[in-house]
Amino acid sequence: MSVLKGKHIILGITGGIAAYKSAMLARLLVKAGAEVQPIMTPSAKEFITPLTLSTLTGKPVISEFFTANTGEWHSHVDLGLWADAMVIAPATASTIGKMANGVADNMLVTTYLSAKAPVFVAPAMDLDMMAHPSTVRNIALLRSYGNHIIEPACGELASHLVGKGRMEEPERIVARLEEFFSSSQSLAGLNMVITAGPTYEKLDPVRFIGNYSSGKMGYALAEEAARRGANVTIVSGPVSVSAKNPAINVVKVESAVEMLDATERAYGAADVIIFAAAVADYRPAEMAGQKIKRDGHEPPTLQLVKNPDIAATLGAKKRAGQFAVGFALETDNEMDNAADKLQRKNLDMIVLNSLRDSGAGFGTDTNKITIIDRNGSRTVFDLKHKSEVAADILDHISSLYHK
Ligand code: PMT
């Protein structure tokens, strides 16, 4: 039986040629047992008739704010609360732009803005529209709101040009929804501690030694683990990202020593610990009490001392039933260095990301990883958004970890 049975799904359809595929998507969702409410933008009706959608779903299509002849008001707020998920397929560049910027001039975007449920967006458009900086920025904005983007496929487009822009096939959209619902609560009851972001090692009251970590990878892991039902504590260095899920316990630290201290305190109760932080390996031997002056002074010589290795310290104390995951950020000799860290720090699994892969590592919204297990097996993943990378890492942990 499909996990979609009994789920309330709003199917948003916008005005693009791929709207013909929405009929199949509606049919597959209904077949899986979902209750499907279609909402069409006015231009979607130029591509596929409301009659087709209402026949397939057994529900009248909603397109306007009210029914003209009866004056019946369609409450976007009620619809937004009713839904377990909202799927917008196809999503045109225009609708994506309106969603990203809150232009609520039709029933679909208004409902989107009211929806509390997870939103899945399947873009479909010409390849140049897809690659335009405006579309790229709007899709990035939707991701930053926590929406799930179902990437379009490459192939021949309506323009007969070949490239990225074909709406993903309905079967795969349904599979994505099924994966999403079946993984929710799959980590219920698990205590997870995640380190994230950089550490800052103070030189004087206004300067520090740090690195480029933004915290995006660690926070993406925290969000996905919390969505799957884990009790998550994130021990975070100074970052500008924040946790969206209020259930995530955020412990803010600045230096490596503070991070070790906070992580050690959370460690005892942890079932799974993920070391995603970029911890400074060295700190100044002394912090100047006042701002180090330039004029009339020779450049100072920095004396550094080693910071604690948090993963190695806690790896050495790992008890039966605990599962430790490290990251390896490499620039050369990647596989060997990562495998060595896995052993040295007594980890159960290590996630390698290399700065030689474009779009991977620090600061980016994407990452490209290889997972190495304790038995030496390697799984290579494509470049993906960090939210999807987080899902891959948690799937891998789930397949290896047995409490
Ligand atoms: O934050 P983002 O901008 O999203 O970037 C993500 C990331 C690149 C920071 C992340 O994906 C990542 O690779 N994190 C680990 C970075 C790192 O310090 O790698 P490392 O190879 O130097 O360290 C190996 C492991 O030991 C890591 O799990 C690290 O957290 C841990 N470590 C390292 C040094 C130290 N003193 N204490 C540690 O715990």
Side-chain angles (χ1 to χ4, degrees):
M1 196 207 303
S2 169
V3 283
L4 296 180
K5 188 166 168 45
K7 292 277 185 278
H8 294 170
I9 295 181
I10 294 174
L11 175 58
I13 302 153
T14 71
I17 186 64
Y20 79 91
K21 289 188 185 173
S22 309
M24 180 53 85
L25 179 55
R27 186 173 147 61
L28 292 174
L29 289 170
V30 169
K31 241 177 123 183
E35 223 177 289
V36 180
Q37 174 61 64
I39 302 183
M40 299 176 82
T41 61
S43 60
K45 292 189 279 186
E46 305 287 339
F47 291 89
I48 181 171
T49 71
L51 182 62
T52 308
L53 269 307
S54 66
T55 308
L56 288 169
T57 60
K59 284 196 186 289
V61 168
I62 298 175
S63 189
E64 309 299 335
F65 290 104
F66 58 90
T67 307
N69 54 350
T70 62
E72 186 197 355
W73 173 252
H74 302 135
S75 168
H76 54 90
V77 177
D78 289 351
L79 272 171
L81 293 174
W82 171 84
D84 294 307
M86 181 168 188
V87 185
I88 299 160
T92 56
S94 163
T95 291
I96 289 170
K98 289 180 185 181
M99 290 163 66
N101 296 289
V103 182
D105 66 350
N106 64 39
M107 190 62 193
L108 175 49
V109 180
T110 315
T111 306
Y112 163 74
L113 293 177
S114 303
K116 295 246 184 293
V119 177
F120 295 79
V121 182
M125 65 196 76
D126 191 55
L127 75 166
D128 293 316
M129 293 175 80
M130 189 71 208
H132 193 279
S134 141
T135 312
V136 171
R137 189 203 55 198
N138 286 332
I139 289 179
L141 278 172
L142 295 187
R143 282 197 208 266
S144 74
Y145 306 154
N147 299 163
H148 303 264
I149 306 297
I150 303 179
E151 289 287 341
C154 287
E156 189 178 347
L157 305 166
S159 59
H160 300 299
L161 294 171
V162 176
K164 185 174 174 181
R166 282 170 68 90
M167 184 180 113
E168 186 52 283
E169 294 306 322
E171 290 79 2
R172 296 182 71 140
I173 296 177
V174 172
R176 179 80 178 267
L177 286 168
E178 285 179 331
E179 265 166 43
F180 177 84
F181 281 111
S182 56
S183 64
S184 81
Q185 296 311 309
S186 62
L187 299 181
L190 203 80
N191 293 327
M192 194 173 281
V193 176
I194 300 170
T195 69
T199 63
Y200 285 0
E201 312 297 330
K202 279 187 175 158
L203 283 163
D204 70 11
V206 299
R207 304 182 181 92
F208 59 85
I209 298 174
N211 60 64
Y212 296 112
S213 172
S214 62
K216 286 178 186 173
M217 190 66 253
Y219 277 73
L221 281 160
E223 296 290 351
E224 182 60 16
R227 187 190 74 75
R228 295 181 186 208
N231 306 313
V232 181
T233 294
I234 186 160
V235 181
S236 170
V239 293
S240 55
V241 288
S242 53
K244 293 192 184 70
N245 188 326
I248 297 172
N249 175 29
V250 182
V251 181
K252 296 222 170 186
V253 296
E254 195 167 293
S255 66
V257 170
E258 287 170 14
M259 187 174 273
L260 172 63
D261 187 47
T263 312
E264 209 159 21
R265 268 185 275 126
Y267 188 69
D271 300 305
V272 174
I273 177 149
I274 306 180
F275 301 101
V279 185
D281 283 317
Y282 300 97
R283 66 178 184 277
E286 281 178 19
M287 179 192 145
Q290 304 300 327
K291 186 178 173 190
I292 300 168
K293 301 288 184 302
R294 172 196 160 99
D295 292 338
H297 294 266
E298 286 302 306
T301 305
L302 276 186
Q303 191 75 43
L304 300 175
V305 293
K306 267 192 179 170
N307 263 332
D309 185 322
I310 301 168
T313 308
L314 298 181
K317 297 180 184 174
K318 196 170 56 169
R319 57 170 165 74
Q322 275 184 321
F323 191 90
V325 180
F327 271 75
L329 179 65
E330 303 296 339
T331 54
D332 60 294
N333 205 15
E334 287 89 344
M335 290 294 177
D336 288 349
N337 288 342
D340 177 57
K341 284 174 187 172
L342 175 84
Q343 296 301 333
R344 236 176 345 103
K345 302 188 188 215
N346 195 25
L347 303 168
D348 298 288
M349 181 180 128
I350 196 155
V351 180
L352 163 66
N353 38 194
S354 170
L355 290 184
R356 284 205 284 191
D357 288 321
S358 97
F362 283 138
T364 50
D365 288 335
T366 52
N367 206 357
K368 171 150 182 40
I369 61 159
T370 300
I371 295 181
I372 308 174
D373 302 347
R374 224 180 150 75
N375 62 15
S377 82
R378 295 168 183 182
T379 315
V380 182
F381 294 84
D382 292 335
L383 182 76
K384 295 183 185 183
H385 193 269
K386 280 180 176 160
S387 57
E388 291 159 0
V389 173
D392 287 339
I393 293 171
L394 292 173
D395 284 347
H396 214 90
I397 294 174
S398 299
S399 72
L400 294 175
Y401 174 69
H402 307 287
K403 199 169 177 178

